[in-house]
Amino acid sequence: MATIHLYLASTNHQSTNITATTPAAWVVILRYADHQKALNDGGYGHTETSLALSALTTALATLKRHDLPVHVHTTTEQVAAVISEQRYLSWRQNNWDVPEADQPDLPQWQTLIPIIEEFPNLTITYHPVDDPAMTTATTTLTAVMTNKNPPACHHPSTI
């Protein structure tokens, strides 16, 4: 059975003081068999985690097939850890009573979790930004951030 691969990259502002004017963007490259599709969005003042959650929510919502394995590859370590360790289960079990300081992106998680659960065979892997597996996503992100046109992608009808 073929696997759908999602390669997710977002701007990393961890060492920067984020303000309302700090540019930010995310990119997801969706691959299935010989089909590929790129999604991206951006704005200002978003953290890396917030961007990754938006990217993942958007990408999973575009998938037509929920019966295929989905492998998410991300450059955002925190998102990979929360999903792979299923930390969100305790958040939901506690009626989402999580201090904002511990999880400032809780509303985004609350949107994403039901979508994730629609994919019974979803795995997620963290990759450093310089990992060759992430080259297309990080190159496309750079193009988006510098206002260049991202590479043309085939838009599949089967993903």
Side-chain angles (χ1 to χ4, degrees):
M1 183 180 309
T3 299
I4 299 170
H5 291 272
L6 307 178
Y7 296 88
L8 186 156
S10 57
T11 49
N12 179 345
H13 295 304
Q14 291 182 2
S15 61
T16 307
N17 186 15
I18 300 170
T19 68
T21 59
T22 304
W26 59 258
V27 167
V28 178
I29 307 297
L30 296 89
R31 289 191 182 143
Y32 174 72
D34 62 343
H35 302 284
Q36 180 170 291
K37 180 178 184 175
L39 304 172
N40 68 70
D41 197 8
Y44 296 91
H46 301 288
T47 65
E48 179 185 10
T49 299
S50 175
L51 291 163
L53 294 172
S54 293
L56 187 53
T57 300
T58 301
L60 290 174
T62 67
L63 297 181
K64 297 174 183 154
R65 304 271 311 261
H66 294 207
D67 60 323
L68 296 173
V70 175
H71 191 159
V72 177
H73 307 266
T74 181
T75 58
T76 306
E77 190 170 13
Q78 179 186 3
V79 171
V82 168
I83 294 171
S84 64
E85 297 168 12
Q86 297 184 322
R87 292 185 207 162
Y88 56 85
L89 294 176
S90 64
W91 300 343
R92 184 171 48 205
Q93 198 170 39
N94 292 330
N95 201 28
W96 303 103
D97 188 18
V98 179
E100 186 175 347
D102 293 345
Q103 193 45 261
D105 303 303
L106 191 61
Q108 286 182 283
W109 281 108
Q110 289 172 310
T111 300
L112 177 61
I113 299 314
I115 297 170
I116 285 175
E117 291 175 335
E118 293 177 20
F119 296 90
N121 196 356
L122 184 138
T123 57
I124 188 164
T125 303
Y126 164 72
H127 298 273
V129 173
D130 59 353
D131 186 323
M134 300 302 291
T135 299
T136 302
T138 56
T139 301
T140 305
L141 179 63
T142 300
V144 167
M145 289 302 293
T146 57
N147 294 322
K148 295 179 182 174
N149 292 325
C153 295
H154 180 271
H155 292 273
S157 58
T158 56
I159 294 183

